[in-house]
Amino acid sequence: MKANIKELTKGIFKENPVFVIVLGLCPVLGVSTQVSNAIGMSAGVMFVLLFSNIIISALRKVIPGSIHIPAYIVVIASLVTITEMVMHAFVPSVYSALGVYLPLIVVNCIILGRAEAFASKNSVFDSILDAIGMSIGFALGLTLIALIRELFGSGTITLFPMGNFGGGINIPWFYDNPIRVMALAPGALLIMGYLKAFFDWNTSRKKDK
Amino acid sequence: MSYIAILLTFIFINNFILVQFLGLCPFIGVSKNSENAIGMGASVTFVTTVASVVTWAIYYFLLVPFNLQYLQTLTFILVIASLVQLLEMVIQKISPALYKALGIYLPLITTNCAVLGIAIINISSSYNVMEAFVAGLAVGLGFTLAMILMSNIRERLDLQPVRGSFRGMPIAFISAGLMALAFMAFDKSLITNLHLV
């Protein structure tokens, strides 16, 4: 049981895909302009990663070694196509906001990386835990960057409209004094640099203890 | 849009790495010295150009007639993967010298977001085949430009005293951010001001 929990939590902090392994950065920086986009992207990645891990782990004894990468890519691309169609049908606003980054989940290194490094060697149950942990870690990293960028860049936090709630929250002081560059491309790279430095510092501090 | 406008758009205004963040993994991973950066840039330019034309042809001559547009993502990634493999074999046969220079980078390109990215953007902007060709070339050139600039910065950074936790990747991201800030000077208005629309 303890080993299972470790499988689940390693993706969230110790092997966080965004800040520690630094994989799948294109979508992380590309869609992090609004919190709602970040959540949509995380949901897409979570679905694809979970099912690709399940399918690849279930087929790990069937897929011949010499063509394993193309086989994984076909599995992942089919799942991404399903995600695209579902999002297009049910959340068209998120679909158009994510644009080219949604089909690009196919080449997201996290998914192929987990398939290669984990799902192809472990049981279905462990792969499910791994996928959940990794995708939560990815979602947290992506949402954190989106939160910082949206808060400083435009002083708002955009969520999904529900009932009376319109979807956007204005943060008083930040809304009047936005740092526009944070919402633009350079802001994403700068914030990524500072956060990576913070995580590196945090890891090295723990090691020293 | 004229061809020059497409070139300017994808090299400067919408530079794939610094503005759209496509192809960031090799940008951070392979940009440690300028020789590798040029090799990677040349390989990517080659593949984006060929892949743009091939995926364009497959979309309009195979997927559209059979009404299979929803298979776009799946087909494109398979085509790109086979294309990279094919190019690797062809280059190895025709020009062993070029293969020696580009060989190690070619397998990495399949999972480069820039290649699949431009293939999808060509379709969504409904470019014709010539425009798709120019766009593919421009994306590659923009990628190479960013790679060369970045590798030069990183070669200098190696000689500078950088504080502990900023060493390596974090300072690379921050330098890229400052470079992106400079690229913000290229704006869509550039195209209108030059009367290229």
Side-chain angles (χ1 to χ4, degrees), chain A residues 18 22 24 32 34 37 39 43 48 58 68 71 80 87 92 101 109 113 118-119 139 148 154 173 175 196 199 209:
Chain A
V18 179
V22 197
S32 60
Q34 282 193 342
N37 295 347
I39 295 172
V48 175
H68 66 287
V80 171
M87 281 207 176
Y101 295 103
C109 319
F118 198 90
I148 297 175
S154 46
W173 188 81
Y175 190 70
K196 173 78 181 137
F199 273 78
K209 262 185 197 167

Side-chain angles (χ1 to χ4, degrees), chain B residues 111-179:
Chain B
T111 53
N112 187 332
C113 310
V115 184
L116 187 59
I118 188 59
I120 293 169
I121 287 174
N122 281 335
I123 303 300
S124 62
S125 338
S126 39
Y127 285 155
N128 64 34
V129 67
M130 202 53 211
E131 285 170 336
F133 170 77
V134 176
L137 182 69
V139 162
L141 292 178
F143 182 90
T144 315
L145 175 70
M147 284 293 273
I148 292 174
L149 290 174
M150 188 64 187
S151 61
N152 284 322
I153 292 178
R154 286 184 84 167
E155 278 176 353
R156 298 264 170 110
L157 274 177
D158 280 346
L159 306 172
Q160 304 297 325
V162 178
R163 278 189 84 89
S165 45
F166 276 93
R167 211 167 290 143
M169 231 181 262
I171 195 72
F173 276 116
I174 291 169
S175 324
L178 297 175
M179 213 151 73

